[in-house]
């Protein structure tokens, strides 16, 4: 029988990584400029901007070089945890034979130390920017679904950015907006979110209620 699948973005959806990213931005700016930079110095909407743009606004003259030197070390100093309710919700999905996966902009070689082990153990597939063209292209979602052998019409994708919603729609997957993430609900709605989820405790089998039921055999 065909399975169903729940796919997720990582940062801001499953992982509360905002504080870690803000800390890393401030730390890299400090190292690159030689001036103390704190999280209060970050520009508004820092999490919604490319990190190179944020670092440039903080006076870093070569953001790409600065990130190559210091980003991973800074990020590893403040590792994120899963949002409350995420692990319970993923366990509940797996308990009813729903495939669970992640499509993320993170680098694959970062995941072994960036992902909490308890979260890693619950994922059937993880697609990174090294595995497929990055969102908003739908390729990562297609790759995840091919790996777990689930058709797009039997899958949902929970994301917190307009690019996530665009990718889901282009892949033929039900787009669900995570309003606890890095982008405002209005932006998710405008980008095509079919439904907006109010908090991470909504992660669970109820995500699949909007899909066409699989006929019993």
């Amino acid at each position: 029988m065909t399975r169903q699948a729940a796919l997720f973005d990582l940062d801001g959806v499953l992982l509360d990584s905002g504080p870690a990213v803000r800390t890393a931005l401030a730390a890299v700016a400090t190292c690159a400029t030689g001036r103390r930079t704190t999280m209060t110095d970050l520009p508004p909407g820092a999490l919604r901007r490319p990190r190179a743009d944020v670092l440039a606004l903080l006076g870093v003259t070569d953001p790409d070089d600065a990130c190559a030197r210091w980003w991973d070390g800074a990020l590893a100093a403040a590792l994120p945890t899963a949002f409350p309710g995420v692990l319970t919700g993923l366990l509940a999905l797996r308990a009813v034979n729903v495939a669970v996966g992640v499509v993320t902009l993170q680098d694959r070689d970062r995941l072994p130390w960036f992902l909490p082990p308890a979260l890693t153990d619950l994922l059937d597939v993880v697609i990174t920017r090294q595995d497929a063209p990055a969102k908003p292209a739908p390729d990562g979602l297609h790759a995840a679904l091919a790996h777990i052998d689930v058709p797009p019409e039997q899958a949902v994708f929970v994301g917190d950015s307009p690019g996530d919603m665009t990718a889901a729609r282009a892949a033929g997957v039900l787009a669900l907006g995570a309003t606890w993430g890095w982008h405002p609900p209005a932006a998710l709605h405008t980008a095509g979110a079919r439904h907006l989820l109010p908090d991470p405790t909504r992660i669970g089998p109820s995500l699949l209620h909007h899909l066409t039921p699989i006929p019993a055999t």
Side-chain angles (χ1 to χ4, degrees), residues 8-22 47 79-91 102 114-120 122 158-161 164 177-183 197-204:
F8 302 88
D9 183 32
L10 185 60
D11 293 288
V13 176
L14 298 183
L15 286 187
D16 186 10
S17 50
V21 173
R22 291 187 183 96
L47 294 179
L79 290 175
T81 58
F83 281 107
V86 162
L87 297 180
T88 300
L90 297 183
L91 279 168
V102 160
F114 188 71
L115 284 179
L119 177 57
T120 301
L122 296 175
V158 182
D160 71 321
S161 74
D164 290 335
T179 61
W180 60 91
W182 297 0
H183 292 261
L197 307 177
D199 59 71
T201 64
R202 296 299 179 94
I203 292 174

Side-chain angles (χ1 to χ4, degrees), residues 2-206:
T2 300
R3 296 177 75 186
Q4 294 179 313
L7 303 177
F8 302 88
D9 183 32
L10 185 60
D11 293 288
V13 176
L14 298 183
L15 286 187
D16 186 10
S17 50
V21 173
R22 291 187 183 96
T23 298
L25 287 167
V28 170
T30 296
C31 292
T33 65
R35 301 187 303 273
R36 180 183 294 274
T37 303
T38 69
M39 287 188 283
T40 60
D41 298 316
L42 300 181
L47 294 179
R48 299 192 293 272
R49 300 173 182 233
R51 67 185 183 185
D53 293 353
V54 175
L55 293 171
L57 289 171
L58 294 171
V60 177
T61 56
D62 190 343
D64 291 336
D65 178 70
C67 285
R69 290 170 179 265
W70 296 297
W71 183 263
D72 278 6
L75 193 62
L79 290 175
T81 58
F83 281 107
V86 162
L87 297 180
T88 300
L90 297 183
L91 279 168
L93 285 164
R94 291 179 61 90
V96 293
N97 197 35
V98 173
V100 175
V102 160
V103 181
T104 176
L105 298 181
Q106 285 287 354
D107 292 336
R108 178 161 291 279
D109 60 4
R110 188 178 296 140
L111 297 185
W113 53 264
F114 188 71
L115 284 179
L119 177 57
T120 301
D121 292 343
L122 296 175
L123 300 176
D124 296 297
V125 60
V126 178
I127 301 296
T128 70
R129 64 167 61 246
Q130 281 76 38
D131 304 314
K135 299 172 289 183
D139 303 63
L141 292 171
H142 287 314
L145 293 173
H147 181 85
I148 55 181
D149 194 24
V150 173
E153 63 271 16
Q154 290 299 332
V156 301
F157 181 58
V158 182
D160 71 321
S161 74
D164 290 335
M165 301 299 98
T166 299
R169 293 180 63 200
V173 173
L174 184 70
L176 302 176
T179 61
W180 60 91
W182 297 0
H183 292 261
L188 303 178
H189 178 75
T190 299
R194 184 75 62 85
H195 303 282
L196 297 177
L197 307 177
D199 59 71
T201 64
R202 296 299 179 94
I203 292 174
S206 64

